[in-house]
Amino acid sequence: MGTTGEQLGVMKLSDALRKAQSLELDLVEIAPTANPPVCKIVDFGKYRYDIAKQEKDRKSSPAAKLKEIKFRVNIDEHDYLTKIRHGEEFLDRGNKVRVQLQFRGREMAHQEFGMQLMAKVKNDLGGMSQVEMEPKLAGRNITMTLSPLPANRRKRRFAPMAETVSPNGKDAPAVNQET
């Protein structure tokens, strides 16, 4: 195959090498198992770069993304459950989850409360994940990374909130009226 993509047909090896040298390019074997073997006249450095770029693109696409959930020490129970449900959802989709707990001001004086909260998160998401990086204090943050378990071993503890539909068809809690 020539430099512009046109096919040059079946050639002797010496003729192909001479043609490549006259164009100041390289003769690269593309399909060695074909009969006759398929070669291409290209710049070998550029060819290797393109192959490496294709490999990188192929590897990066199916990789798990890293999602993040941020907590504060004095989080309300409802907010906590909402964030845990989000964490389960991320893990269910096969993403890794970074759990970050942020201290502000005087909260740093009671870091044990932060570690207790991280232990609770680790326990609550234990059916969906395994700890990749244990909770670690870095500055004013405690960070922990969770990776999803294989799909057949995942067990959700906090189901997504089900929406109830009232008899009149509007989204509202259904009310049982007895007379």
Side-chain angles (χ1 to χ4, degrees):
M1 203 178 264
T3 56
T4 57
E6 81 279 1
Q7 293 196 7
L8 302 175
V10 178
M11 307 177 96
K12 289 184 179 176
L13 179 61
S14 57
D15 293 341
L17 283 170
R18 207 173 303 115
K19 175 101 173 154
Q21 287 173 347
S22 69
L23 295 170
E24 295 182 5
L25 294 171
D26 303 304
L27 184 67
V28 178
E29 191 174 34
I30 303 296
T33 56
N35 192 10
V38 179
C39 295
K40 199 174 191 180
I41 298 174
V42 292
D43 177 12
F44 187 65
K46 184 175 185 221
Y47 175 74
R48 283 188 48 208
Y49 173 78
D50 289 339
I51 297 273
K53 193 172 178 182
Q54 289 172 359
E55 286 289 321
K56 183 181 172 192
D57 289 345
R58 200 171 342 155
K59 284 181 184 175
S60 67
S61 54
K65 290 185 178 177
L66 181 66
K67 300 289 189 173
E68 189 170 78
I69 306 173
K70 288 189 176 184
F71 288 93
R72 293 283 312 281
V73 177
N74 54 355
I75 189 168
D76 187 54
E77 187 64 24
H78 180 265
D79 295 335
Y80 173 81
L81 290 174
T82 302
K83 289 181 185 245
I84 289 294
R85 279 191 202 99
H86 283 292
E88 279 189 338
E89 200 172 302
F90 295 149
L91 291 164
D92 205 27
R93 291 184 187 152
N95 296 319
K96 291 183 180 183
V97 175
R98 177 188 295 142
V99 181
Q100 184 174 9
L101 186 131
Q102 188 177 32
F103 292 107
R104 283 203 195 146
R106 288 182 236 160
E107 293 173 347
M108 282 297 289
H110 297 286
Q111 295 173 12
E112 66 275 6
F113 293 141
M115 285 299 188
Q116 288 171 1
L117 183 63
M118 290 303 261
K120 184 178 177 186
V121 170
K122 183 164 65 167
N123 183 39
D124 287 345
L125 293 177
M128 296 288 294
S129 66
Q130 59 193 16
V131 177
E132 190 172 282
M133 188 181 85
E134 289 292 332
K136 184 169 72 173
L137 182 69
R140 293 190 160 273
N141 299 318
I142 297 177
T143 308
M144 170 175 65
T145 307
L146 304 171
S147 57
L149 289 171
N152 60 346
R153 290 183 44 210
R154 295 182 197 153
K155 292 183 185 78
R156 287 188 83 145
R157 289 179 57 191
F158 302 93
M161 292 196 323
E163 303 233 354
T164 55
V165 179
S166 65
N168 60 5
K170 295 181 181 172
D171 289 339
V175 178
N176 187 6
Q177 297 176 344
E178 293 181 19
T179 51

